[in-house]
Amino acid sequence: MALLRGMACSFSMLLLLAELRPTISEWQSQVYNYEPMPFGLTEEEQKRVLDGQGELWSEYFAMWTQVEYLAHPRSMALAERLWTPFDAVAGFDDFRARLEVHSHDMDAKCIT
């Protein structure tokens, strides 16, 4: 692993959204409650974790609206978790209140 060699790296969260079919709220909660920092790293190793990413994998999406449906607003939940220190996360309910504002923005841009 790169961190053990003293190198910087990034981590990713694999979102197999096309294979699992929980409700939108369940996925948002699962993504939001995800701790992006790998468990067991020393403080020095944590400093070398540069970023994170989430992937959307599927064999086939029949329509672009499927991609948008599966990617958003989960991508917003993951972005907030990646950019917010773990001890500053207020919780999923607090996130949902902020998400309402972004939902209106997505509606205005015709993002499903």
Side-chain angles (χ1 to χ4, degrees):
M1 179 192 257
L3 284 176
L4 299 179
R5 294 182 175 161
M7 302 165 72
C9 67
S10 71
F11 285 93
S12 64
M13 176 184 191
L14 182 60
L15 304 176
L16 295 173
L17 301 176
E19 296 195 13
L20 301 173
R21 301 271 184 214
T23 67
I24 290 174
S25 181
E26 289 171 331
W27 256 110
Q28 291 169 355
S29 177
Q30 288 174 0
V31 171
Y32 191 81
N33 291 319
Y34 170 70
E35 169 49 53
M37 186 62 66
F39 179 75
L41 297 180
T42 67
E43 191 172 317
E44 187 60 37
E45 291 168 336
Q46 289 181 17
K47 291 177 185 177
R48 292 194 304 269
V49 176
L50 302 177
D51 59 14
Q53 64 186 29
E55 293 90 13
L56 176 63
W57 288 65
S58 176
E59 288 187 25
Y60 177 73
F61 291 110
M63 298 172 15
W64 182 250
T65 54
Q66 280 184 291
V67 175
E68 290 177 337
Y69 171 79
L70 292 170
H72 305 295
R74 296 166 191 92
S75 60
M76 293 177 190
L78 182 59
E80 182 167 307
R81 287 299 293 121
L82 289 173
W83 296 332
T84 306
F86 184 72
D87 57 351
V89 173
F92 180 66
D93 291 334
D94 189 56
F95 167 74
R96 285 186 75 153
R98 287 188 300 285
L99 182 62
E100 285 301 314
V101 174
H102 295 297
S103 293
H104 296 295
D105 293 339
M106 289 190 305
D107 289 343
K109 294 176 182 174
C110 298
I111 297 173
T112 59

